[in-house]
Amino acid sequence: MTAIYYSANRIMQKRLQTPKTEHLGRNEEIEILRAIAVIFVLLHHYEGLIVGYPALYPYVEGLYSGVDLFFCISGYVIARSLIPKLIDKTGTVFFREIISFWIKRWYRIIPSALLWVVATLAILGPNALKGNAPLWYDTFSAIFQYANFHFYHCTVEPTTHCVAFQQYWSLSLEEQFYLLIPLAIFLFRKHLSYFVLILALLQVVTERHHWSGLTGFVRTDAIAFGVLLAMISLRPAYLFLEPTALKARFGRIVPLLLLAGIAIVPTTKPIPQYMGLLSSFCLLIVWLASYDKGYVLGPSKMRRWLVKIGERSFAIYLGQIVIFIIGRKISDALMASDTPNITTKILFTLFVGALSMFVLVEVSYRFVEVPWRNRGRHIADCFNHSP
């Protein structure tokens, strides 16, 4: 009996300790969600590549929700790594960890962001840059990470015209959030979960709209939900919340329903709190992915391709506009605008756009994003362990 007791006790201790050690590496299910999120955004912005077909827009109108899915993923991934390093630290050690985090974040984000800013300005050409004050205002907002407030100003001031780098609004919001989250950890410590929950719920019950009103440009409920999920994943209860029932045959339909909800909910504007409902759906699908056990998508060739797309989703998201411009220009140069078969024209444009995206994104990912990210990790580690 004693042997059975000690054996059971060791098993229980192992289960309670598991959340602290697993899933710290790459989570393929999270990468799959990143891929889905960026595909949603690309479809939402299809007019950047295929001009003159507004009839298609109602079918992709709600797919800006990919941004909110990105927010929730980001909140989970960042907090899952950061909070254990800070929550019990004090004094100099705490601030060293914060600076180390910001160093890694800077090297992770800024080089790629600057690359696509420069690429966009280069493809627009000197004629578009000369004397174009609105374009330069957009450029500065993208570089200095206040694009969300800048584009909000564009929506409320009729005399202001924003012409480029609209995709940088979400990046700016994330960077502002991660600049402040260490301060929240320092102030609230063990009560951080209550603060994050209140931050999320206050927004969930508020009527907000995408790309309209200040609350639409500073929405952080999806990020906060991701942070909250990360905190739960560090506790023993996380293991008992695992949705093992989804391994059954009909369980596969659940992630499909959640993704359908993420795509459809933004079009249900008669519901005042539809943005809060959207962030809740994002939380649920990221929760399924957090276990990395195939609850979102089982083993398949599609899974491998989606993981690769997810790894490159940051470059795809930032580079989408300039890639669309390049693809459109190449298509127009190689195929006459008066081509009688419009289907052929569209398919050719899509092919050129996809090929341009594959080449340029791969270059950005391999030669800018990954090397600079690794360099940032090395510099942060050196700083953190310096005397």
Side-chain angles (χ1 to χ4, degrees):
M1 182 66 70
T2 303
I4 295 175
Y5 170 80
Y6 282 114
S7 177
N9 189 50
R10 284 196 299 272
I11 293 173
M12 182 57 68
Q13 287 180 342
K14 183 178 180 181
R15 290 194 71 186
L16 293 180
Q17 291 171 359
T18 301
K20 297 181 181 181
T21 58
E22 67 180 2
H23 298 322
L24 295 181
R26 187 183 71 165
N27 181 323
E28 288 194 350
E29 296 264 275
I30 290 294
E31 297 297 346
I32 289 169
L33 287 188
R34 283 190 173 121
I36 294 171
V38 80
I39 290 170
F40 275 19
V41 173
L42 291 176
L43 291 173
H44 180 66
H45 292 158
Y46 79 94
E47 287 186 299
L49 181 63
I50 306 173
V51 181
Y53 298 94
L56 297 176
Y57 187 71
Y59 299 100
V60 297
E61 179 184 4
L63 294 185
Y64 66 78
S65 56
V67 171
D68 294 85
L69 182 53
F70 268 130
F71 283 159
C72 193
I73 294 168
S74 177
Y76 169 74
V77 172
I78 295 297
R80 188 69 175 79
S81 171
L82 179 64
I83 289 177
K85 296 177 181 178
L86 294 181
I87 199 69
D88 294 324
K89 301 293 194 309
T90 58
T92 303
V93 177
F94 180 87
F95 290 103
R96 274 183 175 271
E97 289 287 359
I98 290 178
I99 295 173
S100 175
F101 166 70
W102 283 336
I103 289 172
K104 287 186 286 188
R105 191 71 188 166
W106 192 95
Y107 277 89
R108 167 74 176 87
I109 298 298
I110 300 303
S112 294
L114 289 178
L115 170 70
W116 290 109
V117 167
V118 173
T120 302
L121 296 178
I123 199 66
L124 290 175
N127 291 334
L129 304 181
K130 188 176 181 180
N132 192 341
L135 175 59
W136 288 112
Y137 293 148
D138 296 345
T139 302
F140 293 144
S141 74
I143 292 174
F144 295 106
Q145 303 293 305
Y146 64 92
N148 55 329
F149 293 106
H150 171 68
F151 288 112
Y152 162 68
H153 179 70
C154 291
T155 65
V156 297
E157 180 53 59
T159 61
T160 305
H161 301 285
C162 295
V163 296
F165 306 116
Q166 286 89 343
Q167 72 272 32
Y168 279 73
W169 81 269
S170 58
L171 181 63
S172 297
L173 177 58
E174 282 193 30
E175 295 316 295
Q176 292 157 15
F177 185 88
Y178 295 129
L179 188 65
L180 296 176
I181 192 63
L183 176 62
I185 296 173
F186 178 77
L187 292 175
F188 295 98
R189 295 290 181 174
K190 295 183 179 180
H191 302 292
L192 179 65
S193 57
Y194 298 107
F195 168 75
V196 174
L197 180 62
I198 292 171
L199 175 66
L201 293 181
L202 285 176
Q203 296 177 78
V204 166
V205 299
T206 302
E207 181 176 355
R208 296 165 296 153
H209 301 282
H210 175 68
W211 211 255
S212 176
L214 182 60
T215 53
F217 286 93
V218 296
R219 62 181 191 263
T220 55
D221 48 330
I223 307 178
F225 273 147
V227 173
L228 194 63
L229 175 62
M231 298 181 71
I232 293 172
S233 73
L234 296 168
R235 298 179 180 181
Y238 175 71
L239 292 175
F240 298 97
L241 293 173
E242 183 177 346
T244 53
L246 296 187
K247 292 180 179 179
R249 181 178 180 182
F250 294 102
R252 299 298 180 187
I253 198 173
V254 173
L256 294 177
L257 292 175
L258 289 174
L259 290 173
I262 291 171
I264 295 170
V265 162
T267 64
T268 59
K269 293 182 180 179
I271 302 175
Q273 288 78 26
Y274 70 94
M275 293 298 294
L277 187 59
L278 169 59
S279 64
S280 301
F281 273 105
C282 292
L283 169 62
L284 291 174
I285 193 72
V286 175
W287 166 57
L288 297 185
S290 68
Y291 292 95
D292 197 19
K293 292 185 178 180
Y295 294 128
V296 174
L297 182 64
S300 64
K301 290 183 179 180
M302 181 184 293
R303 180 185 176 96
R304 292 196 294 271
W305 279 105
L306 287 175
V307 168
K308 289 183 179 297
I309 293 172
E311 291 172 339
R312 292 153 177 79
S313 58
F314 183 58
I316 295 172
Y317 181 78
L318 290 182
Q320 58 180 302
I321 303 301
V322 67
I323 292 171
F324 283 169
I325 295 173
I326 293 171
R328 199 169 63 239
K329 286 187 174 184
I330 294 174
S331 176
D332 291 342
L334 297 179
M335 183 170 284
S337 59
D338 58 349
T339 301
N341 191 334
I342 195 64
T343 303
T344 302
K345 170 77 172 178
I346 293 175
L347 291 176
F348 182 73
T349 303
L350 288 173
F351 170 76
V352 172
L355 183 61
S356 301
M357 180 164 291
F358 173 79
V359 173
L360 295 176
V361 164
E362 197 65 20
V363 169
S364 172
Y365 176 74
R366 289 183 179 273
F367 298 105
V368 178
E369 186 176 336
V370 172
W372 281 92
R373 182 174 60 198
N374 292 338
R375 182 178 298 182
R377 288 173 179 169
H378 175 71
I379 293 174
D381 289 340
C382 290
F383 170 80
N384 217 14
H385 295 95
S386 61

